[in-house]
Amino acid sequence: TSTYSEITSCHITGPVVGYSVVGGLLGEDLGSEISLCYVTGTVSGNSVEVGGLIGSSNGSIITSCYATGPVIGTSRVGGLVGSASNGTMSSCYAAGTVTGTFYVGGLAGSCGYNETITSCYATGTVTGADYSVGGLVGYLDRGSVSNCYAAGTVTGDDYAVGGLVGRVNGGAVSYCHAGGAVTGDYYV
């Protein structure tokens, strides 16, 4: 766990394996400024909040970071961040395949209250065995996404599956696009 730190120009290349709250760079972050960091290895967890860079972030300012390895988890699984709220992600990207059950996204699995994502993109294939599966964000809950795109194929085995965002609850999406094929059961 990192709290109110400044983390710059770090990188991780090896695989990272854990149970829950697993990230390639940090499992959990609270309010730090993170910039110019990247992860290229596989990140996997057997439970919730698994991300290519950070498993769970609250109040984090994440700038110019990326992750390119595969990310595997169950809930709140994202190519860059598993679960994020009250912070920002800008000029970041994720390029690895992302596999989970629900709240699965190419960049972020779940974006909660006051999370802002700007000028980011995801290109990896996203697969969810259940609901809320998106090319960029799996579940957007009162956050905002702008000037972003997703290019990967998205597959969900239940409802709320989208090329950009799987499910939106009171959030805002503007000036974004998605280009990958999308497959789901309903609310697609």
Side-chain angles (χ1 to χ4, degrees), residues 76-176:
R76 302 183 194 278
V77 184
L80 192 75
V81 178
S83 177
S85 59
N86 299 304
T88 62
M89 280 181 256
S90 60
S91 303
C92 296
Y93 72 89
T97 60
V98 182
T99 307
T101 305
F102 57 94
Y103 300 154
V104 184
L107 187 79
S110 173
C111 287
Y113 185 70
N114 278 343
E115 182 70 17
T116 301
I117 301 175
T118 307
S119 301
C120 294
Y121 66 90
T123 59
T125 297
V126 181
T127 305
D130 211 322
Y131 60 89
S132 294
V133 182
L136 190 78
V137 177
Y139 180 40
L140 181 63
D141 183 15
R142 295 170 293 169
S144 66
V145 178
S146 62
N147 296 298
C148 295
Y149 72 88
T153 299
V154 182
T155 304
D157 286 340
D158 205 335
Y159 67 94
V161 182
L164 190 74
V165 179
R167 181 181 177 193
V168 179
N169 178 34
V173 178
S174 59
Y175 304 105
C176 296

